[in-house]
Amino acid sequence: MDAPASTAASTPFSTLIRTASHEQHTEAENSTFMSDMLGGRLGVDAYRRYTEQLWFVYRALESTAESLADDPVAGPFLRPELARTAELERDLTHLGGPDWRSGLTPLPATAQYAARIEECAREWPAGYVAHHYTRYLGDLSGGQIIRGTAEKTWGFARKGDGVRFYVFEAIGNPAAFKREYRELLDALPVDDLEKQRVVDECKRAFALNTAVFQDLGREFPLSA
Ligand code: HEM
């Protein structure tokens, strides 16, 4: 049953968006590919392919950021200490050598995901915020679990090449950073209808991530 309007209206937006995407978070977390990869059942080639997909996603998020810098809705979220493209490129050089980029193409679901981010960046800054939240707040949270597992499973140096994507050198206190990020969400300067659309876009962002995992799962099935 939906919460009464008065409750929904008084619930901080950061709580609303987290609660609304909770179920899909569990789904993404428990996807076959993620479980197999983090369960140590897949080789480092799967981790590399996954990291390549992230590069397309973060390029979409970060190459469009400059055009949103002065936007009143999306602008406040654009913090340079979050930027991941350079870290992903270092990880990919480590994983694939200096030519990692030659011939690299996104999986179909990744191409769709990146295209949707770019579309939001161009046409709908509040929708871009939904994508920004879904990735960066996740990286600052569960990303840390993924890093630990990747280091253990494939022998990367702690916080070193291969897992730099998960290391936010410029964020000294992730808990405080997340608190401030949630305050920005709570102060999002849009009306309730638009907030609901942002929640829906967040759900779409989770679905796009799950679709990438499905594509990856098809490429890396566990041999029976
Ligand atoms: C194996 C994979 C994953 C693990 C182990 C994981 C784990 C976690 C954990 C432990 C938290 C902290 C929850 C809290 O503070 O209450 C979290 C938060 C979050 N995760 Fe994940 N996660 C995974 C995958 C994902 C994926 C694929 C996405 C979406 C792209 C995602 C997006 C988020 C977001 C947006 C948050 C922040 C929620 C909030 O505080 O508002 N996670 N995750």
Side-chain angles (χ1 to χ4, degrees):
M1 199 175 76
D2 287 339
S6 59
T7 311
S10 59
T11 305
F13 184 59
S14 60
T15 307
L16 212 60
I17 195 165
R18 186 179 60 218
T19 313
S21 55
H22 181 79
E23 206 172 301
Q24 277 171 299
H25 183 275
T26 308
E27 196 185 327
E29 204 179 334
N30 296 322
S31 68
T32 306
F33 177 77
M34 262 294 158
S35 309
D36 287 347
M37 188 174 74
L38 299 179
R41 295 184 288 279
L42 294 174
V44 72
D45 53 334
Y47 177 75
R48 173 182 164 188
R49 195 79 175 111
Y50 168 60
T51 306
E52 289 169 355
Q53 306 315 302
L54 291 177
W55 179 72
F56 288 105
V57 172
Y58 283 82
R59 225 175 37 147
L61 280 167
E62 293 171 7
S63 68
T64 52
E66 207 174 311
S67 66
L68 289 166
D70 296 327
D71 182 83
V73 175
F77 290 89
L78 303 173
R79 306 273 295 267
E81 55 270 53
L82 287 173
R84 298 289 88 199
T85 304
E87 281 74 5
L88 283 165
E89 293 184 353
R90 263 184 94 168
D91 288 340
L92 287 168
T93 303
H94 180 73
L95 293 163
D99 292 336
W100 63 268
R101 215 176 148 165
S102 75
L104 181 63
T105 50
L107 288 164
T110 307
Q112 275 184 17
Y113 184 8
R116 179 59 185 160
I117 293 171
E118 283 160 6
E119 187 177 37
C120 287
R122 262 193 325 270
E123 295 168 10
W124 183 33
Y128 175 89
V129 171
H131 288 280
H132 193 276
Y133 160 79
T134 306
R135 286 298 342 171
Y136 294 108
L137 225 60
D139 301 332
L140 284 166
S141 311
Q144 302 313 303
I145 300 170
I146 300 177
R147 174 176 63 79
T149 309
E151 288 166 359
K152 230 177 30 224
T153 308
W154 298 296
F156 302 123
R158 186 168 181 274
K159 297 191 175 185
D161 286 346
V163 290
R164 290 196 189 274
F165 167 72
Y166 303 96
V167 183
F168 290 84
E169 295 276 9
I171 299 180
N173 184 342
F177 189 95
K178 282 196 275 183
R179 220 169 20 249
E180 283 169 29
Y181 192 101
R182 290 194 183 103
E183 282 166 14
L184 285 180
L185 286 172
D186 293 342
L188 201 70
V190 302
D191 65 20
D192 283 353
L193 189 63
E194 181 73 343
K195 281 183 187 163
Q196 186 52 53
R197 292 179 66 216
V198 175
V199 165
D200 290 343
E201 188 65 26
C202 174
K203 291 184 181 175
R204 187 168 175 177
F206 270 96
L208 287 162
N209 277 278
T210 300
V212 173
F213 294 154
Q214 278 164 357
D215 273 7
L216 283 163
R218 271 189 284 275
E219 198 167 304
F220 295 93
L222 273 188
S223 45

